[in-house]
Amino acid sequence: MVARVQVPPQAKRGEVIEIRVAIQHPMETGFRYNDVGRAIPKNVINDLVARYNGEDIFRARMGSGIAANPYLVFYTVAEASGAIEFSWVDDSGQTGTERAAITVV
């Protein structure tokens, strides 16, 4: 799974920053059928976690009501330079990770 994350490269200590993540995933609901009439198995991202220097700052529990290629936006406070790491898992057990660095001045 491919993801695109947007984290400001630099922020002032205490500043509220916007974080965006878009994950390329079909988010199959289990209600559609393929060309030969067989049900396409349900396969959605269940859990997305964002960690800032190892601490959880955001968690999303998703289900079949989320559109394909989910796009999420959230905010956090810039406290220290480091990494914001994203990880997720879908129904098939496939996992994905992405990482972005931020410098706090």
Side-chain angles (χ1 to χ4, degrees):
M1 287 180 272
V2 177
R4 193 176 86 188
V5 298
Q6 290 181 328
V7 174
Q10 188 173 14
K12 294 179 183 176
R13 188 174 314 280
E15 180 180 356
V16 175
I17 57 171
E18 181 180 76
I19 298 173
R20 300 175 186 199
V21 59
I23 304 170
Q24 198 170 29
H25 192 278
M27 300 295 278
E28 286 295 343
T29 64
F31 298 117
R32 291 184 336 123
Y33 295 89
N34 65 16
D35 294 340
V36 294
R38 292 193 180 131
I40 299 172
K42 179 178 175 275
N43 186 17
V44 299
I45 295 172
N46 294 306
D47 197 27
L48 166 75
V49 179
R51 293 180 181 89
Y52 185 3
N53 288 334
E55 287 189 44
D56 286 9
I57 58 168
F58 179 79
R59 182 177 295 269
R61 306 270 311 157
M62 294 183 265
S64 59
I66 303 293
N69 304 318
Y71 171 74
L72 299 121
V73 178
F74 65 94
Y75 299 86
T76 193
V77 176
E79 296 175 349
S81 296
I84 299 177
E85 299 171 348
F86 303 85
S87 60
W88 57 91
V89 63
D90 69 12
D91 285 326
S92 71
Q94 188 174 11
T95 61
T97 60
E98 190 63 54
R99 180 183 175 114
I102 184 168
T103 301
V104 175
V105 293

